[in-house]
Amino acid sequence: MQNHILEYLDETVRRVPDKLAFGGGTDKDGMTFAQVDKASRAIGSFLAARGLFKAPVVVFMNRHPSAVAAFLGVLQGGCYYVPIDEEMPRSRIDLILENLHPQGILCDESTLDTARTFDFAGELWLYKELAQTPVEDTALAAVRARTIDTDPVYVYFTSGSTGIPKGVASSHRALIGYIEQLSEVLELSEDTVFANQTPLYFDASLKDIFPTLKWGATAYIVPKSLFKFPMQTLDFLIDRKVNTLCWVVSALTMLSAFGALQEKPPTALRRVAFVGEVFPVRQFNIWKRTLPEVRFTNLYGPTEGTGICCYYHADREFAPEEAIPIGRPLKNTEILLLTDENKPAEPGEQGEICIRGTCLSLGYINDPERTAAVFVQNPLNTAYPELIYRTGDIGRWNEAGELMFVSRRDFQIKHMGHRIELGEIEVNANRIDGVRSSGCIYDREKDRIILFYTGETTEKELTVQLKQKLQRYMLPNVTKRLEAMPLTATGKIDRVKLKEIYETERKK
């Protein structure tokens, strides 16, 4: 049985060394499996020579196949990778570096100057130079022998309700299990051609990267600039004969909402998996009607569960009042639907979605308190220690025994394919001069984030300031200044009142 995720690469490079592994915007951007293997082993040799092991290495590179090679190089060296990106607000990057205290940041030539401005005591390493390091096979073998399957592979940072991002670490064992189950559900093979849409600092990118290594498939990394132009995006998919998409819903609806998909359907597609949020039925039906031969699969799962834990093959069109199920758990995974009394929910009864199995991540890096709050003892098992993860999502079982997503338990939302804590938006707004207090709500029907605030700054000035502090997908869609913030009897922000204000304004 495998105990290291790079065993996929080892086997594939022996079998198809000259096949294209990862492509980019142009032919010259591509890397074969042999090239990926050579670059990663060179980087691993560099890290091994530094004596690093089970240490975080931040990868700060542009969206390119070489970034994937850098991730794998970190693993070759026995460390775990932490991707960041220039899209991230500087304040967020600062918090990540403060949490990790990494000894090195791996950059490319386009990010090196920015990295020099970080408040960071470690070293900056240039990918181009590290990829030329002589490969030390003996050192790499020694590192591999020391690694066990519960060691971390990566840390992906998600939004945190306190304004401090949470770094989710996951192990080789969890990731291997995930890739095996995903491959079976989606029926992946060496003929699979992916188009990677999600940012490489987002864990949804795992669905493209590691199955490519397992099968000797091919994954094209779609340039960010294309997503502003639906027709050009479709040209990219058609020209490269892409047959598999694992995309967030907002990216799929971008192609269908304005008629581009219907005008230029990518007929090579055979499977489309959608993640991140609820797929609007009207838009899903357009996809299903336009590409009737495609197999559509709804995937559900939090970062803390190493990717996905449930799937549903959406093999029909849905009525407007219907919701697409999130389905059944993957093999070797159990979903517990627990009531407020920690009892199993009855069919049709709502409960919190909790996950049990080896898919659970290792927790939040350097954050035992927040880890202990959600990775808890299984209340249904009093015989021995067994952790489950409490997702905070509310669900119910339907008549067919399929899991249905209902809502979030707290202020955490899914917006534009990303998980967001509304509290993080409030914390960053409250840090801005001229803002006295802020309260955030979410219009699920319209998929809008609404920020209310009190203070002297104008709505326009606040929006400009927030663009410097928040990632694009976290920016409020509506910003509204109030003379006074409504409070409950206990002195907390009255969010029910905020929703009433919003609804009143919207009806005018």
Side-chain angles (χ1 to χ4, degrees):
M1 180 179 289
Q2 291 172 309
N3 66 0
H4 198 292
I5 196 70
L6 286 182
E7 290 177 34
Y8 288 143
L9 177 60
D10 297 341
E11 173 58 30
T12 296
V13 79
R14 282 193 290 267
R15 188 167 51 85
V16 286
D18 298 325
K19 184 178 179 182
L20 180 67
F22 299 100
T26 66
D27 291 342
K28 67 179 181 180
D29 293 326
M31 296 182 72
T32 65
F33 285 102
Q35 290 169 329
V36 169
D37 183 65
K38 181 180 179 182
S40 69
R41 290 173 67 81
I43 293 168
S45 298
F46 173 87
L47 296 175
R50 311 289 282 201
L52 297 178
F53 185 72
K54 289 178 66 175
V57 174
V58 172
V59 178
F60 181 44
M61 295 174 61
N62 271 336
R63 184 176 168 77
H64 187 273
S66 59
V68 178
F71 297 163
L72 304 180
V74 172
L75 299 179
Q76 296 277 17
C79 298
Y80 52 95
Y81 69 88
V82 186
I84 63 174
D85 191 275
E86 285 186 309
E87 283 189 346
M88 292 180 171
R90 176 59 177 271
S91 58
R92 186 178 180 88
I93 292 175
D94 290 341
L95 289 170
I96 290 172
L97 297 178
E98 183 180 338
N99 174 280
L100 292 171
H101 297 291
Q103 294 188 40
I105 299 178
L106 185 51
C107 307
D108 58 29
E109 291 172 317
S110 65
T111 61
L112 184 60
D113 286 342
T114 301
R116 288 189 174 117
T117 69
F118 294 162
D119 184 11
F120 166 66
E123 297 179 334
L124 299 179
W125 302 320
L126 189 60
Y127 169 87
K128 188 175 180 180
E129 295 177 356
L130 265 61
Q132 300 302 315
T133 304
V135 173
E136 297 290 344
D137 290 326
T138 301
L140 294 180
V143 167
R144 186 75 66 89
R146 292 177 65 191
T147 305
I148 63 175
D149 66 2
T150 53
D151 287 340
V153 175
Y154 60 72
V155 173
Y156 283 97
F157 276 84
T158 67
S159 180
S161 59
T162 62
I164 307 298
K166 297 181 291 189
V168 182
S170 203
S171 69
H172 288 266
R173 171 51 46 208
L175 184 56
I176 289 168
Y178 168 45
I179 298 309
E180 292 295 322
Q181 302 303 333
L182 182 71
S183 294
E184 181 176 332
V185 165
L186 298 185
E187 299 180 352
L188 304 177
S189 72
E190 63 182 5
D191 297 324
T192 298
V193 182
F194 292 102
N196 166 265
Q197 165 267 326
T198 53
L200 297 179
Y201 62 86
F202 188 29
D203 71 303
S205 63
L206 297 171
K207 297 175 181 65
D208 307 311
I209 293 172
F210 288 100
T212 295
L213 300 182
K214 170 181 169 59
W215 291 104
T218 296
Y220 289 97
I221 298 176
V222 184
K224 269 188 300 193
S225 58
L226 281 189
F227 287 104
K228 299 176 183 177
F229 307 102
M231 286 300 186
Q232 291 184 26
T233 301
L234 288 166
D235 284 338
F236 186 95
L237 302 182
I238 293 167
D239 291 346
R240 288 155 181 80
K241 297 180 173 58
V242 170
N243 57 34
T244 303
L245 300 181
C246 297
W247 284 16
V248 297
V249 169
S250 56
L252 294 172
T253 57
M254 177 201 71
L255 298 182
S256 59
F258 301 105
L261 177 72
Q262 302 90 305
E263 184 175 335
K264 190 177 288 187
T267 54
L269 275 183
R270 290 295 173 265
R271 57 189 73 83
V272 173
F274 48 97
V275 296
E277 56 192 325
V278 177
F279 205 148
V281 166
R282 181 172 176 272
Q283 295 301 319
F284 170 79
N285 287 343
I286 291 173
W287 275 88
K288 183 66 179 169
R289 206 172 297 132
T290 305
L291 298 168
E293 302 303 317
V294 168
R295 189 180 200 186
F296 293 90
T297 305
N298 189 11
L299 302 178
Y300 164 83
T303 306
E304 290 86 346
T306 312
I308 64 167
C309 59
C310 291
Y311 71 97
Y312 175 80
H313 293 308
D315 56 0
R316 63 180 176 86
E317 293 188 28
F318 289 80
E321 68 277 6
E322 286 187 284
I324 302 174
I326 54 178
R328 305 179 186 278
L330 299 174
K331 289 181 181 178
N332 205 37
T333 299
E334 183 179 11
I335 296 299
L336 305 177
L337 204 57
L338 299 179
T339 66
D340 290 341
E341 293 76 32
N342 280 331
K343 303 295 183 183
E346 298 295 330
E349 183 182 13
Q350 293 186 9
E352 182 177 7
I353 300 172
C354 302
I355 306 172
R356 185 178 81 91
T358 56
C359 62
L360 295 192
S361 73
L362 299 170
Y364 304 124
I365 197 81
N366 296 323
D367 199 344
E369 184 176 336
R370 285 200 286 186
T371 298
V374 291
F375 291 87
V376 302
Q377 172 64 26
N378 181 359
L380 306 182
N381 176 10
T382 59
Y384 53 85
E386 180 187 46
L387 291 182
I388 63 171
Y389 171 66
R390 306 194 73 117
T391 67
D393 288 337
I394 303 301
R396 62 176 177 82
W397 299 110
N398 68 11
E399 298 79 5
E402 298 157 341
L403 190 60
M404 305 294 295
F405 175 82
V406 176
S407 66
R408 281 294 304 168
R409 178 180 289 278
D410 52 21
F411 299 133
Q412 195 178 82
I413 65 169
K414 289 288 182 68
H415 177 65
M416 295 177 64
H418 296 266
R419 192 177 63 174
I420 298 170
E421 295 273 5
L422 295 180
E424 184 171 1
I425 300 174
E426 294 174 358
V427 167
N428 281 281
N430 290 339
R431 289 174 176 162
I432 294 173
D433 291 338
V435 174
R436 291 196 298 270
S437 64
S438 66
C440 215
I441 62 172
Y442 178 58
D443 182 345
R444 191 174 301 278
E445 180 183 349
K446 299 292 185 181
D447 193 24
R448 285 182 174 180
I449 297 171
I450 303 97
L451 177 67
F452 292 93
Y453 75 99
T454 61
E456 298 73 37
T457 191
T458 66
E459 294 169 7
K460 183 176 181 180
E461 290 168 346
L462 178 57
T463 299
V464 171
Q465 290 289 318
L466 286 174
K467 285 181 178 179
Q468 299 174 18
K469 293 182 175 294
L470 297 173
Q471 304 202 90
R472 272 202 315 270
Y473 62 83
M474 296 177 71
L475 289 171
N477 303 100
V478 178
T479 304
K480 179 68 177 176
R481 182 178 176 273
L482 300 175
E483 289 300 320
M485 185 67 65
L487 302 176
T488 65
T490 58
K492 296 180 180 179
I493 293 175
D494 190 340
R495 298 175 195 280
V496 173
K497 184 63 176 176
L498 289 180
K499 289 182 179 179
E500 291 175 359
I501 295 171
Y502 169 67
E503 290 297 332
T504 301
E505 291 286 330
R506 198 175 70 164
K507 291 175 182 177
K508 287 183 178 178

